CSV table of all heavy atoms in Angstrom, one decimal:
chain,number,residue,atom,x,y,z
S,572,ALA,N,-1.6,25.6,-40.9
S,572,ALA,CA,-1.2,24.8,-42.1
S,572,ALA,C,-1.4,23.3,-41.8
S,572,ALA,O,-1.8,22.6,-42.6
S,572,ALA,CB,0.2,25.2,-42.5
S,573,LEU,N,-1.0,23.0,-40.6
S,573,LEU,CA,-1.1,21.6,-40.2
S,573,LEU,C,-2.5,21.1,-40.1
S,573,LEU,O,-2.9,20.0,-40.5
S,573,LEU,CB,-0.4,21.3,-38.8
S,573,LEU,CG,1.1,21.4,-38.8
S,573,LEU,CD1,1.7,21.4,-37.4
S,573,LEU,CD2,1.8,20.4,-39.7
S,574,LEU,N,-3.4,22.1,-39.6
S,574,LEU,CA,-4.8,21.8,-39.6
S,574,LEU,C,-5.3,21.5,-41.0
S,574,LEU,O,-6.1,20.5,-41.2
S,574,LEU,CB,-5.5,22.9,-38.9
S,574,LEU,CG,-7.1,22.9,-39.0
S,574,LEU,CD1,-7.6,21.7,-38.3
S,574,LEU,CD2,-7.6,24.2,-38.3
S,575,ASP,N,-5.0,22.3,-41.9
S,575,ASP,CA,-5.4,22.1,-43.3
S,575,ASP,C,-5.0,20.7,-43.8
S,575,ASP,O,-5.8,20.0,-44.4
S,575,ASP,CB,-4.7,23.1,-44.3
S,575,ASP,CG,-5.2,24.6,-44.0
S,575,ASP,OD1,-6.3,24.7,-43.4
S,575,ASP,OD2,-4.5,25.5,-44.5
S,576,GLU,N,-3.8,20.4,-43.5
S,576,GLU,CA,-3.2,19.1,-44.0
S,576,GLU,C,-4.0,17.9,-43.3
S,576,GLU,O,-4.4,17.0,-44.0
S,576,GLU,CB,-1.8,19.0,-43.6
S,576,GLU,CG,-1.1,17.7,-44.0
S,576,GLU,CD,0.4,17.7,-43.4
S,576,GLU,OE1,1.0,18.7,-43.2
S,576,GLU,OE2,0.8,16.5,-43.1
S,577,ALA,N,-4.2,18.0,-42.0
S,577,ALA,CA,-4.9,16.9,-41.3
S,577,ALA,C,-6.3,16.8,-41.7
S,577,ALA,O,-6.9,15.7,-41.9
S,577,ALA,CB,-4.7,17.1,-39.8
S,578,TRP,N,-7.0,17.9,-41.8
S,578,TRP,CA,-8.4,17.9,-42.1
S,578,TRP,C,-8.7,17.3,-43.5
S,578,TRP,O,-9.6,16.6,-43.7
S,578,TRP,CB,-9.0,19.4,-42.0
S,578,TRP,CG,-10.5,19.4,-42.1
S,578,TRP,CD1,-11.4,19.1,-41.2
S,578,TRP,CD2,-11.2,19.6,-43.4
S,578,TRP,NE1,-12.7,19.2,-41.7
S,578,TRP,CE2,-12.6,19.5,-43.0
S,578,TRP,CE3,-10.8,19.9,-44.7
S,578,TRP,CZ2,-13.6,19.7,-44.0
S,578,TRP,CZ3,-11.8,20.1,-45.6
S,578,TRP,CH2,-13.2,20.0,-45.3
S,579,ALA,N,-7.8,17.7,-44.4
S,579,ALA,CA,-8.0,17.2,-45.8
S,579,ALA,C,-8.0,15.7,-46.0
S,579,ALA,O,-8.6,15.2,-46.9
S,579,ALA,CB,-6.9,17.8,-46.7
S,580,ARG,N,-7.5,15.0,-45.0
S,580,ARG,CA,-7.4,13.5,-45.1
S,580,ARG,C,-8.8,12.9,-45.1
S,580,ARG,O,-9.0,11.8,-45.6
S,580,ARG,CB,-6.5,13.0,-44.0
S,580,ARG,CG,-5.1,13.3,-44.2
S,580,ARG,CD,-4.2,12.8,-43.1
S,580,ARG,NE,-2.9,13.4,-43.1
S,580,ARG,CZ,-2.1,13.6,-42.1
S,580,ARG,NH1,-2.5,13.3,-40.9
S,580,ARG,NH2,-0.9,14.2,-42.2
S,581,LYS,N,-9.7,13.5,-44.4
S,581,LYS,CA,-11.1,13.0,-44.3
S,581,LYS,C,-12.1,14.0,-44.8
S,581,LYS,O,-13.1,13.6,-45.4
S,581,LYS,CB,-11.4,12.6,-42.8
S,581,LYS,CG,-11.1,11.2,-42.5
S,581,LYS,CD,-12.3,10.2,-42.7
S,581,LYS,CE,-11.9,8.8,-42.7
S,581,LYS,NZ,-11.9,8.1,-41.4
S,582,GLY,N,-11.8,15.3,-44.5
S,582,GLY,CA,-12.7,16.3,-45.0
S,582,GLY,C,-14.2,16.2,-44.6
S,582,GLY,O,-15.1,16.3,-45.4
S,583,ARG,N,-14.3,16.0,-43.3
S,583,ARG,CA,-15.7,15.9,-42.7
S,583,ARG,C,-15.8,16.6,-41.4
S,583,ARG,O,-14.8,17.2,-40.9
S,583,ARG,CB,-16.2,14.5,-42.7
S,583,ARG,CG,-15.3,13.7,-41.7
S,583,ARG,CD,-16.0,12.3,-41.5
S,583,ARG,NE,-15.9,11.5,-42.6
S,583,ARG,CZ,-16.5,10.3,-42.8
S,583,ARG,NH1,-17.3,9.9,-41.8
S,583,ARG,NH2,-16.3,9.6,-43.8
S,584,ALA,N,-16.9,16.5,-40.7
S,584,ALA,CA,-17.1,17.2,-39.5
S,584,ALA,C,-16.1,16.7,-38.4
S,584,ALA,O,-15.7,15.6,-38.4
S,584,ALA,CB,-18.6,17.0,-39.0
S,585,VAL,N,-15.8,17.6,-37.5
S,585,VAL,CA,-14.8,17.3,-36.5
S,585,VAL,C,-15.3,17.4,-35.1
S,585,VAL,O,-16.1,18.3,-34.8
S,585,VAL,CB,-13.6,18.4,-36.7
S,585,VAL,CG1,-12.7,18.4,-35.5
S,585,VAL,CG2,-12.9,18.1,-38.0
S,586,ARG,N,-14.9,16.4,-34.3
S,586,ARG,CA,-15.4,16.4,-32.9
S,586,ARG,C,-14.4,16.9,-31.9
S,586,ARG,O,-14.7,17.4,-30.8
S,586,ARG,CB,-16.0,15.1,-32.4
S,586,ARG,CG,-15.0,14.0,-32.2
S,586,ARG,CD,-15.7,12.6,-31.9
S,586,ARG,NE,-16.8,12.8,-31.0
S,586,ARG,CZ,-16.7,12.6,-29.7
S,586,ARG,NH1,-15.5,12.4,-29.2
S,586,ARG,NH2,-17.7,12.8,-28.9
S,587,LEU,N,-13.1,16.8,-32.3
S,587,LEU,CA,-12.0,17.2,-31.3
S,587,LEU,C,-10.9,17.8,-32.1
S,587,LEU,O,-10.5,17.3,-33.2
S,587,LEU,CB,-11.6,15.9,-30.6
S,587,LEU,CG,-10.3,16.1,-29.7
S,587,LEU,CD1,-10.4,15.0,-28.5
S,587,LEU,CD2,-9.0,15.9,-30.4
S,588,LEU,N,-10.3,18.9,-31.6
S,588,LEU,CA,-9.1,19.4,-32.1
S,588,LEU,C,-8.1,19.5,-31.0
S,588,LEU,O,-8.4,19.8,-29.9
S,588,LEU,CB,-9.4,20.9,-32.6
S,588,LEU,CG,-10.1,21.1,-34.0
S,588,LEU,CD1,-10.2,22.6,-34.2
S,588,LEU,CD2,-9.3,20.4,-35.1
S,589,GLY,N,-6.8,19.3,-31.4
S,589,GLY,CA,-5.7,19.5,-30.5
S,589,GLY,C,-4.5,20.2,-31.1
S,589,GLY,O,-4.3,20.0,-32.3
S,590,VAL,N,-3.8,21.0,-30.4
S,590,VAL,CA,-2.6,21.6,-30.9
S,590,VAL,C,-1.5,21.3,-29.8
S,590,VAL,O,-1.8,21.3,-28.6
S,590,VAL,CB,-2.6,23.1,-31.1
S,590,VAL,CG1,-3.7,23.5,-32.1
S,590,VAL,CG2,-2.8,23.9,-29.8
S,591,GLY,N,-0.3,21.1,-30.3
S,591,GLY,CA,0.8,20.8,-29.3
S,591,GLY,C,2.1,20.9,-30.0
S,591,GLY,O,2.3,21.4,-31.1
S,592,VAL,N,3.1,20.6,-29.2
S,592,VAL,CA,4.5,20.6,-29.6
S,592,VAL,C,5.2,19.3,-29.1
S,592,VAL,O,4.8,18.7,-28.1
S,592,VAL,CB,5.3,21.8,-29.1
S,592,VAL,CG1,4.7,23.1,-29.6
S,592,VAL,CG2,5.4,21.8,-27.6
S,593,ARG,N,6.3,18.9,-29.8
S,593,ARG,CA,7.2,18.0,-29.2
S,593,ARG,C,8.5,18.8,-28.9
S,593,ARG,O,8.9,19.7,-29.6
S,593,ARG,CB,7.6,16.9,-30.3
S,593,ARG,CG,6.6,15.9,-30.5
S,593,ARG,CD,7.1,14.8,-31.4
S,593,ARG,NE,6.1,14.2,-32.1
S,593,ARG,CZ,5.2,13.4,-31.6
S,593,ARG,NH1,5.3,13.0,-30.3
S,593,ARG,NH2,4.2,12.8,-32.3
S,594,PHE,N,9.1,18.4,-27.8
S,594,PHE,CA,10.3,19.1,-27.4
S,594,PHE,C,11.5,18.4,-28.0
S,594,PHE,O,11.5,17.2,-28.3
S,594,PHE,CB,10.4,19.1,-25.8
S,594,PHE,CG,9.3,19.9,-25.2
S,594,PHE,CD1,8.4,19.3,-24.4
S,594,PHE,CD2,9.2,21.3,-25.4
S,594,PHE,CE1,7.3,20.0,-23.9
S,594,PHE,CE2,8.2,22.0,-24.8
S,594,PHE,CZ,7.3,21.4,-24.1
S,595,ALA,N,12.6,19.1,-28.1
S,595,ALA,CA,13.9,18.6,-28.6
S,595,ALA,C,14.3,17.5,-27.6
S,595,ALA,O,14.1,17.5,-26.4
S,595,ALA,CB,14.9,19.7,-28.7
Side-chain angles (χ1 to χ4, degrees):
L573 291 173
L574 171 60
D575 293 342
E576 180 188 332
W578 186 83
R580 291 178 191 148
K581 269 269 163 87
R583 63 170 70 190
V585 166
R586 72 186 315 270
L587 172 152
L588 281 181
V590 302
V592 297
R593 284 185 208 286
F594 296 113

